Amino acid sequence: MLPVSRRADLLALATLLAAATWFLTRLVLLEPAVRSSVGNYDIYTFDLPHILYFDRVLHDGGRGLLWNPLLNCGQPSLGLGTTLVLHPPTLLAPLLGADYTYKALVFYAMILGAAGAFCLGRTLGLSRIAAVCGGLAFAFSNAAVDTFTSGANMGIPFAWLPAALCCVEGILVAPTWRRAGVLAIVVACTLVGHPQFALFLCQIVFLRVLWEMMSRRKLLAHRTLGALAVGFAVAPLLAAVNLFPVLETMGASVHGGALEAAELEPVRNGWMLMSASFAARGELFNPFMLVPFMLASAAAWGHRRRIALFYFIAGLLFFDLGLGRDGYLFSYYTELPGGRLFHHPHRFLYPTALSVSVLAAMGVEGILATGRRALVPRGAILGGMAAVAAVFAALSIHGLRPHESRLAAMVLLAVFAALQWPAARPLAGAVLAAALMLDLVVLRPPPGRWMLSNSNVLFAQSSAFRFLRDRMSSQERVYLVPRHRDYSLERKTPSLFGVPSLNDYNPVMSRRYAEFFTMLRVGRPMRALADVIYALEGDMPPTLSRRLLDVAAARYVVTDAKTDATRVVRDPPLVPVADLGTVRIYENPSALSRARWVPQVEVVSNDEEMLRRLAALTVYILPGIESPVAGPPSVTPVSPATIAMPGSQGTSRLKALVERTPPSGFVGEPGEMAATVSFVRDDPEDVVIAVYARRRGFLVLADQYAPGWRATVNGVDTPIMRADYAVRLVEVPVGRSVVAFSYRPVSVIAGA
């Protein structure tokens, strides 16, 4: 039989498990009512497509785990870091399906957060009922619901923060190498997901260690500092198989450097947004919840006042940062190293919520502490709680809501009984936990962004993309014109059907491809993240560069029928292929092949000049040459071999632009098409191409250039050059050649 203390701990954890089950079940029961409503954008355009993609990877024996060839002309898959691949519930995707896998990820995050906060409370020396209150206050806070509904890639690393702080607090009390090892494992888990939470953890731990030394007025022992250092040093090695490629990808991405002021804070007036969200009792921009704040006001009366003061100061600090430029500290923070890496300052409210949950647990401990209190402390505790309720009422447009008034009275009565009659404290503690449960789990309004998933909506246009999949060859791609909030026609939609496209919703898109795509879409250099990440509408503006569309092998254009703006594309115009009612498909007759031979390269060292040269390509079509691509009778497709260039303007399509002279010194000579190119193998990480050339030249593969790709020509290692700004090029000899591209990134090998 388990010891009494162990059974009590299990009962406490079972309470938290029941709360998480109730919360998720309540939303599942409400699901039929919201099936027709608009769900959370990130779930439908990021999380669910990645789960479906990983399901395909598992069925294909792992092909595509490292490289996704279907989006952005190919891009790293594991290296994106926020794709949920290494979270345990994702492995259940083949068994559960995408929808239940996502629910499992949300449930997993809730349990992690609640259990971690409970263990943190116990490590701080709090009673079980106080630790349970801390677990409830954290796992069901507005911040937790916000991160869960933003996507599991944010919710899961956030949920690991209390467990990491639990390890840190344990080391500060009694450092051991075993605790250092556990800390390393937990910190490693925070590194698999949105990277900003690892930064939050480092900041909180740095402040906690600094506070420990300041409040004790002495340096920490070498053993303590050593255990902390080992934990944080070993953690990146444990997560290296994912972390190393993530760092490599991020370094070359649009997030690889400091952001501008407008990019750091795309949404202004933090205090106004926070006030509006609080008035509506929404979770976004809102750290305030009635019962946790009432309980947190009593934290100063517990026996861990020094630690309570730290979490109060830390919560206040992060709260001010969460206001962005409406606060006092954000402008100074952005001058610190790494202070300009992430946008949306309201995310600093996440550590604020963590601090509030710890203070709420300490407040419960202070209320239920043994010993009869004097009149002044009793009055101060009750007065502080009543003041919090009064402030909530004053800041609300119509005062406290009816259930909030009842909860406030319930808390005050329970606290009064605990302070007046020590024998009533066990019952009072249960009432306080029940008040938290009612406030945060049972009576809270449904999330503003539905976390529930219905992957069926992603496949509403399946007939269009199956039509394309059956029609297309390895030489062709699709340019999708998405319709915002129409999840059946979003930027990842083609990839769900195995159709390669030029678009993606990806926060760590490579900067090089982002600049290429921005020039393609708006006809000018990229100026800010909004040009690519928040380009939610207008992918077919009058500024669209037809020539870059051709260079990227976009043979087909797919657009919503209601917003069809393909008339802006001329010289030559797009050719209608299919009208499926809600979706129209066009063929781009001037698109080049994905793999093509060119006789010549030209060195253009200036990046902007290269993009402008590519965008200024001019083309005419030689008549009388039949296309090898079959099409409907109403369509006259044009083979890439029929494309010729006058040469007087722009850049000839019979040459490629490169940044520097090839290693061999050979740049080729002007001439006509003198080669045939065909795919032998077209796997995600392995591409084999057969080339028959009547003269020495170059093979262009219109897939993203990225570190980790290697090439051989007839079995001989050959350097890959970056050509046409963002794609790959290798030199090929005269005659028959077999060119093999393989993706074996050193970052993954070193991490493994």
Side-chain angles (χ1 to χ4, degrees), residues 8-9 12 117-135 303-304 360-370 425-426 428-430 432:
D9 285 336
F118 172 81
C119 293
L120 174 58
R122 296 294 286 155
T123 302
L124 291 173
L126 306 184
S127 63
R128 288 182 183 84
I129 191 65
V132 166
C133 290
H303 64 282
R304 306 300 299 273
M362 290 184 167
V364 173
E365 183 71 13
I367 294 165
L368 304 180
T370 57
R425 284 173 184 166
L432 294 178

PDB file of all heavy atoms in Angstrom, residues 8-9 12 117-135 303-304 360-370 425-426 428-430 432:
ATOM      1  N   ALA A   8      -1.895  11.070  -0.957  1.00  0.00           N
ATOM      2  CA  ALA A   8      -2.412  12.445  -0.958  1.00  0.00           C
ATOM      3  C   ALA A   8      -1.921  13.203  -2.185  1.00  0.00           C
ATOM      4  O   ALA A   8      -2.675  13.975  -2.803  1.00  0.00           O
ATOM      5  CB  ALA A   8      -1.990  13.156   0.321  1.00  0.00           C
ATOM      6  N   ASP A   9      -0.656  12.998  -2.543  1.00  0.00           N
ATOM      7  CA  ASP A   9      -0.127  13.647  -3.742  1.00  0.00           C
ATOM      8  C   ASP A   9      -0.865  13.162  -4.993  1.00  0.00           C
ATOM      9  O   ASP A   9      -1.199  13.959  -5.883  1.00  0.00           O
ATOM     10  CB  ASP A   9       1.372  13.365  -3.884  1.00  0.00           C
ATOM     11  CG  ASP A   9       2.207  14.180  -2.902  1.00  0.00           C
ATOM     12  OD1 ASP A   9       1.725  15.245  -2.461  1.00  0.00           O
ATOM     13  OD2 ASP A   9       3.333  13.758  -2.583  1.00  0.00           O
ATOM     14  N   ALA A  12      -4.216  14.752  -5.182  1.00  0.00           N
ATOM     15  CA  ALA A  12      -4.114  16.145  -5.630  1.00  0.00           C
ATOM     16  C   ALA A  12      -3.916  16.213  -7.144  1.00  0.00           C
ATOM     17  O   ALA A  12      -4.565  17.016  -7.835  1.00  0.00           O
ATOM     18  CB  ALA A  12      -2.953  16.825  -4.909  1.00  0.00           C
ATOM     19  N   ALA A 117       3.088  23.126 -12.036  1.00  0.00           N
ATOM     20  CA  ALA A 117       2.817  24.171 -11.044  1.00  0.00           C
ATOM     21  C   ALA A 117       2.578  23.559  -9.666  1.00  0.00           C
ATOM     22  O   ALA A 117       2.973  24.133  -8.640  1.00  0.00           O
ATOM     23  CB  ALA A 117       1.619  25.004 -11.482  1.00  0.00           C
ATOM     24  N   PHE A 118       1.921  22.388  -9.615  1.00  0.00           N
ATOM     25  CA  PHE A 118       1.725  21.702  -8.333  1.00  0.00           C
ATOM     26  C   PHE A 118       3.077  21.325  -7.719  1.00  0.00           C
ATOM     27  O   PHE A 118       3.323  21.564  -6.524  1.00  0.00           O
ATOM     28  CB  PHE A 118       0.872  20.449  -8.547  1.00  0.00           C
ATOM     29  CG  PHE A 118       0.765  19.563  -7.338  1.00  0.00           C
ATOM     30  CD1 PHE A 118      -0.131  19.854  -6.321  1.00  0.00           C
ATOM     31  CD2 PHE A 118       1.573  18.438  -7.202  1.00  0.00           C
ATOM     32  CE1 PHE A 118      -0.223  19.049  -5.197  1.00  0.00           C
ATOM     33  CE2 PHE A 118       1.488  17.623  -6.084  1.00  0.00           C
ATOM     34  CZ  PHE A 118       0.593  17.932  -5.080  1.00  0.00           C
ATOM     35  N   CYS A 119       3.951  20.747  -8.523  1.00  0.00           N
ATOM     36  CA  CYS A 119       5.275  20.352  -8.016  1.00  0.00           C
ATOM     37  C   CYS A 119       6.092  21.573  -7.605  1.00  0.00           C
ATOM     38  O   CYS A 119       6.855  21.515  -6.625  1.00  0.00           O
ATOM     39  CB  CYS A 119       6.015  19.543  -9.074  1.00  0.00           C
ATOM     40  SG  CYS A 119       5.265  17.940  -9.424  1.00  0.00           S
ATOM     41  N   LEU A 120       5.938  22.680  -8.315  1.00  0.00           N
ATOM     42  CA  LEU A 120       6.640  23.904  -7.925  1.00  0.00           C
ATOM     43  C   LEU A 120       6.175  24.359  -6.548  1.00  0.00           C
ATOM     44  O   LEU A 120       6.994  24.741  -5.694  1.00  0.00           O
ATOM     45  CB  LEU A 120       6.384  24.997  -8.971  1.00  0.00           C
ATOM     46  CG  LEU A 120       6.921  26.399  -8.656  1.00  0.00           C
ATOM     47  CD1 LEU A 120       8.432  26.375  -8.440  1.00  0.00           C
ATOM     48  CD2 LEU A 120       6.549  27.380  -9.765  1.00  0.00           C
ATOM     49  N   GLY A 121       4.867  24.331  -6.316  1.00  0.00           N
ATOM     50  CA  GLY A 121       4.351  24.711  -5.003  1.00  0.00           C
ATOM     51  C   GLY A 121       4.875  23.817  -3.897  1.00  0.00           C
ATOM     52  O   GLY A 121       5.259  24.289  -2.816  1.00  0.00           O
ATOM     53  N   ARG A 122       4.907  22.505  -4.144  1.00  0.00           N
ATOM     54  CA  ARG A 122       5.411  21.585  -3.127  1.00  0.00           C
ATOM     55  C   ARG A 122       6.896  21.811  -2.863  1.00  0.00           C
ATOM     56  O   ARG A 122       7.357  21.737  -1.714  1.00  0.00           O
ATOM     57  CB  ARG A 122       5.170  20.140  -3.570  1.00  0.00           C
ATOM     58  CG  ARG A 122       3.717  19.765  -3.702  1.00  0.00           C
ATOM     59  CD  ARG A 122       2.997  19.780  -2.356  1.00  0.00           C
ATOM     60  NE  ARG A 122       3.383  18.630  -1.548  1.00  0.00           N
ATOM     61  CZ  ARG A 122       3.336  18.585  -0.227  1.00  0.00           C
ATOM     62  NH1 ARG A 122       2.939  19.653   0.453  1.00  0.00           N
ATOM     63  NH2 ARG A 122       3.686  17.495   0.435  1.00  0.00           N
ATOM     64  N   THR A 123       7.652  22.105  -3.920  1.00  0.00           N
ATOM     65  CA  THR A 123       9.079  22.375  -3.746  1.00  0.00           C
ATOM     66  C   THR A 123       9.302  23.637  -2.928  1.00  0.00           C
ATOM     67  O   THR A 123      10.286  23.738  -2.179  1.00  0.00           O
ATOM     68  CB  THR A 123       9.759  22.508  -5.121  1.00  0.00           C
ATOM     69  OG1 THR A 123       9.541  21.304  -5.864  1.00  0.00           O
ATOM     70  CG2 THR A 123      11.252  22.737  -4.981  1.00  0.00           C
ATOM     71  N   LEU A 124       8.388  24.601  -3.048  1.00  0.00           N
ATOM     72  CA  LEU A 124       8.484  25.828  -2.261  1.00  0.00           C
ATOM     73  C   LEU A 124       8.011  25.635  -0.826  1.00  0.00           C
ATOM     74  O   LEU A 124       7.994  26.582  -0.040  1.00  0.00           O
ATOM     75  CB  LEU A 124       7.663  26.933  -2.924  1.00  0.00           C
ATOM     76  CG  LEU A 124       8.209  27.463  -4.255  1.00  0.00           C
ATOM     77  CD1 LEU A 124       7.219  28.423  -4.906  1.00  0.00           C
ATOM     78  CD2 LEU A 124       9.555  28.150  -4.049  1.00  0.00           C
ATOM     79  N   GLY A 125       7.615  24.421  -0.485  1.00  0.00           N
ATOM     80  CA  GLY A 125       7.206  24.133   0.885  1.00  0.00           C
ATOM     81  C   GLY A 125       5.749  24.411   1.171  1.00  0.00           C
ATOM     82  O   GLY A 125       5.359  24.527   2.339  1.00  0.00           O
ATOM     83  N   LEU A 126       4.917  24.498   0.149  1.00  0.00           N
ATOM     84  CA  LEU A 126       3.501  24.787   0.349  1.00  0.00           C
ATOM     85  C   LEU A 126       2.727  23.497   0.604  1.00  0.00           C
ATOM     86  O   LEU A 126       3.147  22.402   0.213  1.00  0.00           O
ATOM     87  CB  LEU A 126       2.926  25.499  -0.881  1.00  0.00           C
ATOM     88  CG  LEU A 126       3.659  26.766  -1.338  1.00  0.00           C
ATOM     89  CD1 LEU A 126       2.926  27.400  -2.502  1.00  0.00           C
ATOM     90  CD2 LEU A 126       3.836  27.750  -0.203  1.00  0.00           C
ATOM     91  N   SER A 127       1.579  23.633   1.224  1.00  0.00           N
ATOM     92  CA  SER A 127       0.729  22.478   1.479  1.00  0.00           C
ATOM     93  C   SER A 127       0.141  21.971   0.164  1.00  0.00           C
ATOM     94  O   SER A 127       0.158  22.660  -0.854  1.00  0.00           O
ATOM     95  CB  SER A 127      -0.399  22.857   2.433  1.00  0.00           C
ATOM     96  OG  SER A 127      -1.242  23.838   1.838  1.00  0.00           O
ATOM     97  N   ARG A 128      -0.420  20.772   0.205  1.00  0.00           N
ATOM     98  CA  ARG A 128      -0.978  20.189  -1.019  1.00  0.00           C
ATOM     99  C   ARG A 128      -2.136  21.014  -1.556  1.00  0.00           C
ATOM    100  O   ARG A 128      -2.247  21.218  -2.765  1.00  0.00           O
ATOM    101  CB  ARG A 128      -1.429  18.751  -0.752  1.00  0.00           C
ATOM    102  CG  ARG A 128      -0.278  17.789  -0.566  1.00  0.00           C
ATOM    103  CD  ARG A 128      -0.751  16.363  -0.358  1.00  0.00           C
ATOM    104  NE  ARG A 128       0.397  15.500  -0.113  1.00  0.00           N
ATOM    105  CZ  ARG A 128       0.962  15.327   1.073  1.00  0.00           C
ATOM    106  NH1 ARG A 128       0.480  15.969   2.131  1.00  0.00           N
ATOM    107  NH2 ARG A 128       2.000  14.524   1.217  1.00  0.00           N
ATOM    108  N   ILE A 129      -3.010  21.480  -0.682  1.00  0.00           N
ATOM    109  CA  ILE A 129      -4.155  22.239  -1.169  1.00  0.00           C
ATOM    110  C   ILE A 129      -3.697  23.555  -1.786  1.00  0.00           C
ATOM    111  O   ILE A 129      -4.241  23.995  -2.805  1.00  0.00           O
ATOM    112  CB  ILE A 129      -5.177  22.484  -0.029  1.00  0.00           C
ATOM    113  CG1 ILE A 129      -6.487  23.034  -0.612  1.00  0.00           C
ATOM    114  CG2 ILE A 129      -4.618  23.407   1.038  1.00  0.00           C
ATOM    115  CD1 ILE A 129      -7.201  22.050  -1.508  1.00  0.00           C
ATOM    116  N   ALA A 130      -2.661  24.176  -1.220  1.00  0.00           N
ATOM    117  CA  ALA A 130      -2.117  25.403  -1.810  1.00  0.00           C
ATOM    118  C   ALA A 130      -1.473  25.106  -3.158  1.00  0.00           C
ATOM    119  O   ALA A 130      -1.617  25.874  -4.121  1.00  0.00           O
ATOM    120  CB  ALA A 130      -1.105  26.041  -0.859  1.00  0.00           C
ATOM    121  N   ALA A 131      -0.757  23.979  -3.252  1.00  0.00           N
ATOM    122  CA  ALA A 131      -0.121  23.611  -4.515  1.00  0.00           C
ATOM    123  C   ALA A 131      -1.162  23.285  -5.580  1.00  0.00           C
ATOM    124  O   ALA A 131      -0.984  23.614  -6.764  1.00  0.00           O
ATOM    125  CB  ALA A 131       0.817  22.428  -4.299  1.00  0.00           C
ATOM    126  N   VAL A 132      -2.263  22.640  -5.189  1.00  0.00           N
ATOM    127  CA  VAL A 132      -3.350  22.378  -6.133  1.00  0.00           C
ATOM    128  C   VAL A 132      -3.916  23.694  -6.655  1.00  0.00           C
ATOM    129  O   VAL A 132      -4.187  23.844  -7.859  1.00  0.00           O
ATOM    130  CB  VAL A 132      -4.455  21.526  -5.468  1.00  0.00           C
ATOM    131  CG1 VAL A 132      -5.725  21.534  -6.306  1.00  0.00           C
ATOM    132  CG2 VAL A 132      -3.973  20.107  -5.271  1.00  0.00           C
ATOM    133  N   CYS A 133      -4.093  24.662  -5.763  1.00  0.00           N
ATOM    134  CA  CYS A 133      -4.589  25.977  -6.192  1.00  0.00           C
ATOM    135  C   CYS A 133      -3.621  26.623  -7.176  1.00  0.00           C
ATOM    136  O   CYS A 133      -4.034  27.248  -8.158  1.00  0.00           O
ATOM    137  CB  CYS A 133      -4.801  26.875  -4.976  1.00  0.00           C
ATOM    138  SG  CYS A 133      -6.201  26.376  -3.933  1.00  0.00           S
ATOM    139  N   GLY A 134      -2.310  26.468  -6.928  1.00  0.00           N
ATOM    140  CA  GLY A 134      -1.329  26.995  -7.868  1.00  0.00           C
ATOM    141  C   GLY A 134      -1.408  26.314  -9.216  1.00  0.00           C
ATOM    142  O   GLY A 134      -1.284  26.963 -10.264  1.00  0.00           O
ATOM    143  N   GLY A 135      -1.620  24.978  -9.211  1.00  0.00           N
ATOM    144  CA  GLY A 135      -1.766  24.263 -10.472  1.00  0.00           C
ATOM    145  C   GLY A 135      -2.976  24.719 -11.258  1.00  0.00           C
ATOM    146  O   GLY A 135      -2.917  24.891 -12.482  1.00  0.00           O
ATOM    147  N   HIS A 303       4.696  32.089   4.869  1.00  0.00           N
ATOM    148  CA  HIS A 303       6.004  31.944   5.519  1.00  0.00           C
ATOM    149  C   HIS A 303       7.154  32.027   4.525  1.00  0.00           C
ATOM    150  O   HIS A 303       8.312  31.911   4.916  1.00  0.00           O
ATOM    151  CB  HIS A 303       6.074  30.608   6.277  1.00  0.00           C
ATOM    152  CG  HIS A 303       5.970  29.401   5.382  1.00  0.00           C
ATOM    153  ND1 HIS A 303       4.787  28.967   4.867  1.00  0.00           N
ATOM    154  CD2 HIS A 303       6.928  28.552   4.922  1.00  0.00           C
ATOM    155  CE1 HIS A 303       4.988  27.889   4.133  1.00  0.00           C
ATOM    156  NE2 HIS A 303       6.282  27.615   4.141  1.00  0.00           N
ATOM    157  N   ARG A 304       6.860  32.216   3.204  1.00  0.00           N
ATOM    158  CA  ARG A 304       7.929  32.364   2.205  1.00  0.00           C
ATOM    159  C   ARG A 304       7.855  33.757   1.594  1.00  0.00           C
ATOM    160  O   ARG A 304       7.782  33.919   0.387  1.00  0.00           O
ATOM    161  CB  ARG A 304       7.787  31.286   1.122  1.00  0.00           C
ATOM    162  CG  ARG A 304       7.733  29.849   1.634  1.00  0.00           C
ATOM    163  CD  ARG A 304       8.991  29.456   2.412  1.00  0.00           C
ATOM    164  NE  ARG A 304      10.183  29.537   1.618  1.00  0.00           N
ATOM    165  CZ  ARG A 304      10.646  28.557   0.838  1.00  0.00           C
ATOM    166  NH1 ARG A 304       9.975  27.426   0.753  1.00  0.00           N
ATOM    167  NH2 ARG A 304      11.759  28.693   0.158  1.00  0.00           N
ATOM    168  N   ALA A 360      -0.752  33.126  -6.002  1.00  0.00           N
ATOM    169  CA  ALA A 360      -2.043  32.612  -5.551  1.00  0.00           C
ATOM    170  C   ALA A 360      -1.852  31.404  -4.642  1.00  0.00           C
ATOM    171  O   ALA A 360      -2.524  31.275  -3.601  1.00  0.00           O
ATOM    172  CB  ALA A 360      -2.908  32.245  -6.755  1.00  0.00           C
ATOM    173  N   ALA A 361      -0.944  30.509  -5.019  1.00  0.00           N
ATOM    174  CA  ALA A 361      -0.661  29.345  -4.167  1.00  0.00           C
ATOM    175  C   ALA A 361      -0.096  29.789  -2.826  1.00  0.00           C
ATOM    176  O   ALA A 361      -0.483  29.261  -1.763  1.00  0.00           O
ATOM    177  CB  ALA A 361       0.305  28.408  -4.873  1.00  0.00           C
ATOM    178  N   MET A 362       0.802  30.762  -2.839  1.00  0.00           N
ATOM    179  CA  MET A 362       1.369  31.268  -1.592  1.00  0.00           C
ATOM    180  C   MET A 362       0.317  31.994  -0.761  1.00  0.00           C
ATOM    181  O   MET A 362       0.362  31.968   0.473  1.00  0.00           O
ATOM    182  CB  MET A 362       2.550  32.195  -1.892  1.00  0.00           C
ATOM    183  CG  MET A 362       3.773  31.472  -2.424  1.00  0.00           C
ATOM    184  SD  MET A 362       5.164  32.595  -2.646  1.00  0.00           S
ATOM    185  CE  MET A 362       6.488  31.417  -2.889  1.00  0.00           C
ATOM    186  N   GLY A 363      -0.643  32.654  -1.438  1.00  0.00           N
ATOM    187  CA  GLY A 363      -1.721  33.308  -0.714  1.00  0.00           C
ATOM    188  C   GLY A 363      -2.587  32.303   0.027  1.00  0.00           C
ATOM    189  O   GLY A 363      -2.972  32.523   1.194  1.00  0.00           O
ATOM    190  N   VAL A 364      -2.911  31.183  -0.632  1.00  0.00           N
ATOM    191  CA  VAL A 364      -3.675  30.136   0.034  1.00  0.00           C
ATOM    192  C   VAL A 364      -2.899  29.596   1.233  1.00  0.00           C
ATOM    193  O   VAL A 364      -3.466  29.366   2.307  1.00  0.00           O
ATOM    194  CB  VAL A 364      -4.008  29.007  -0.961  1.00  0.00           C
ATOM    195  CG1 VAL A 364      -4.650  27.823  -0.246  1.00  0.00           C
ATOM    196  CG2 VAL A 364      -4.922  29.519  -2.067  1.00  0.00           C
ATOM    197  N   GLU A 365      -1.587  29.409   1.058  1.00  0.00           N
ATOM    198  CA  GLU A 365      -0.767  28.930   2.168  1.00  0.00           C
ATOM    199  C   GLU A 365      -0.777  29.928   3.321  1.00  0.00           C
ATOM    200  O   GLU A 365      -0.850  29.541   4.498  1.00  0.00           O
ATOM    201  CB  GLU A 365       0.665  28.704   1.682  1.00  0.00           C
ATOM    202  CG  GLU A 365       1.613  28.134   2.720  1.00  0.00           C
ATOM    203  CD  GLU A 365       1.309  26.684   3.047  1.00  0.00           C
ATOM    204  OE1 GLU A 365       0.528  26.038   2.316  1.00  0.00           O
ATOM    205  OE2 GLU A 365       1.851  26.187   4.049  1.00  0.00           O
ATOM    206  N   GLY A 366      -0.703  31.222   2.992  1.00  0.00           N
ATOM    207  CA  GLY A 366      -0.743  32.238   4.035  1.00  0.00           C
ATOM    208  C   GLY A 366      -2.061  32.256   4.782  1.00  0.00           C
ATOM    209  O   GLY A 366      -2.105  32.455   6.005  1.00  0.00           O
ATOM    210  N   ILE A 367      -3.156  32.016   4.080  1.00  0.00           N
ATOM    211  CA  ILE A 367      -4.477  31.997   4.716  1.00  0.00           C
ATOM    212  C   ILE A 367      -4.627  30.786   5.630  1.00  0.00           C
ATOM    213  O   ILE A 367      -5.194  30.868   6.726  1.00  0.00           O
ATOM    214  CB  ILE A 367      -5.574  31.995   3.632  1.00  0.00           C
ATOM    215  CG1 ILE A 367      -5.551  33.322   2.860  1.00  0.00           C
ATOM    216  CG2 ILE A 367      -6.950  31.758   4.232  1.00  0.00           C
ATOM    217  CD1 ILE A 367      -6.324  33.290   1.573  1.00  0.00           C
ATOM    218  N   LEU A 368      -4.113  29.641   5.184  1.00  0.00           N
ATOM    219  CA  LEU A 368      -4.310  28.393   5.915  1.00  0.00           C
ATOM    220  C   LEU A 368      -3.169  28.072   6.873  1.00  0.00           C
ATOM    221  O   LEU A 368      -3.140  26.980   7.442  1.00  0.00           O
ATOM    222  CB  LEU A 368      -4.468  27.227   4.926  1.00  0.00           C
ATOM    223  CG  LEU A 368      -5.590  27.368   3.888  1.00  0.00           C
ATOM    224  CD1 LEU A 368      -5.623  26.161   2.980  1.00  0.00           C
ATOM    225  CD2 LEU A 368      -6.939  27.564   4.569  1.00  0.00           C
ATOM    226  N   ALA A 369      -2.223  29.012   7.052  1.00  0.00           N
ATOM    227  CA  ALA A 369      -1.078  28.746   7.929  1.00  0.00           C
ATOM    228  C   ALA A 369      -1.559  28.465   9.344  1.00  0.00           C
ATOM    229  O   ALA A 369      -2.560  29.025   9.812  1.00  0.00           O
ATOM    230  CB  ALA A 369      -0.122  29.937   7.915  1.00  0.00           C
ATOM    231  N   THR A 370      -0.826  27.609  10.018  1.00  0.00           N
ATOM    232  CA  THR A 370      -1.208  27.253  11.388  1.00  0.00           C
ATOM    233  C   THR A 370      -0.997  28.430  12.323  1.00  0.00           C
ATOM    234  O   THR A 370      -0.196  29.321  12.062  1.00  0.00           O
ATOM    235  CB  THR A 370      -0.361  26.066  11.864  1.00  0.00           C
ATOM    236  OG1 THR A 370       1.021  26.414  11.766  1.00  0.00           O
ATOM    237  CG2 THR A 370      -0.633  24.835  11.033  1.00  0.00           C
ATOM    238  N   ARG A 425     -10.031  25.243   8.707  1.00  0.00           N
ATOM    239  CA  ARG A 425      -9.095  25.493   7.602  1.00  0.00           C
ATOM    240  C   ARG A 425      -9.105  24.413   6.520  1.00  0.00           C
ATOM    241  O   ARG A 425      -9.036  24.749   5.331  1.00  0.00           O
ATOM    242  CB  ARG A 425      -7.697  25.709   8.164  1.00  0.00           C
ATOM    243  CG  ARG A 425      -7.572  27.089   8.788  1.00  0.00           C
ATOM    244  CD  ARG A 425      -6.275  27.303   9.507  1.00  0.00           C
ATOM    245  NE  ARG A 425      -6.293  28.616  10.160  1.00  0.00           N
ATOM    246  CZ  ARG A 425      -5.438  28.999  11.080  1.00  0.00           C
ATOM    247  NH1 ARG A 425      -4.473  28.168  11.463  1.00  0.00           N
ATOM    248  NH2 ARG A 425      -5.519  30.196  11.629  1.00  0.00           N
ATOM    249  N   PRO A 426      -9.149  23.117   6.856  1.00  0.00           N
ATOM    250  CA  PRO A 426      -9.226  22.126   5.768  1.00  0.00           C
ATOM    251  C   PRO A 426     -10.424  22.348   4.850  1.00  0.00           C
ATOM    252  O   PRO A 426     -10.298  22.286   3.620  1.00  0.00           O
ATOM    253  CB  PRO A 426      -9.308  20.798   6.517  1.00  0.00           C
ATOM    254  CG  PRO A 426      -8.659  21.063   7.833  1.00  0.00           C
ATOM    255  CD  PRO A 426      -9.030  22.469   8.176  1.00  0.00           C
ATOM    256  N   ALA A 428     -12.046  25.198   4.492  1.00  0.00           N
ATOM    257  CA  ALA A 428     -11.839  26.477   3.798  1.00  0.00           C
ATOM    258  C   ALA A 428     -10.908  26.301   2.603  1.00  0.00           C
ATOM    259  O   ALA A 428     -11.122  26.891   1.535  1.00  0.00           O
ATOM    260  CB  ALA A 428     -11.271  27.509   4.766  1.00  0.00           C
ATOM    261  N   GLY A 429      -9.856  25.488   2.771  1.00  0.00           N
ATOM    262  CA  GLY A 429      -8.954  25.234   1.657  1.00  0.00           C
ATOM    263  C   GLY A 429      -9.664  24.576   0.492  1.00  0.00           C
ATOM    264  O   GLY A 429      -9.447  24.934  -0.680  1.00  0.00           O
ATOM    265  N   ALA A 430     -10.547  23.611   0.798  1.00  0.00           N
ATOM    266  CA  ALA A 430     -11.315  22.962  -0.264  1.00  0.00           C
ATOM    267  C   ALA A 430     -12.241  23.958  -0.956  1.00  0.00           C
ATOM    268  O   ALA A 430     -12.417  23.915  -2.181  1.00  0.00           O
ATOM    269  CB  ALA A 430     -12.110  21.800   0.323  1.00  0.00           C
ATOM    270  N   LEU A 432     -11.707  27.218  -1.283  1.00  0.00           N
ATOM    271  CA  LEU A 432     -10.882  28.087  -2.129  1.00  0.00           C
ATOM    272  C   LEU A 432     -10.504  27.381  -3.429  1.00  0.00           C
ATOM    273  O   LEU A 432     -10.520  27.996  -4.513  1.00  0.00           O
ATOM    274  CB  LEU A 432      -9.630  28.513  -1.369  1.00  0.00           C
ATOM    275  CG  LEU A 432      -9.853  29.415  -0.155  1.00  0.00           C
ATOM    276  CD1 LEU A 432      -8.537  29.719   0.545  1.00  0.00           C
ATOM    277  CD2 LEU A 432     -10.550  30.710  -0.560  1.00  0.00           C
TER     278      LEU A 432
END
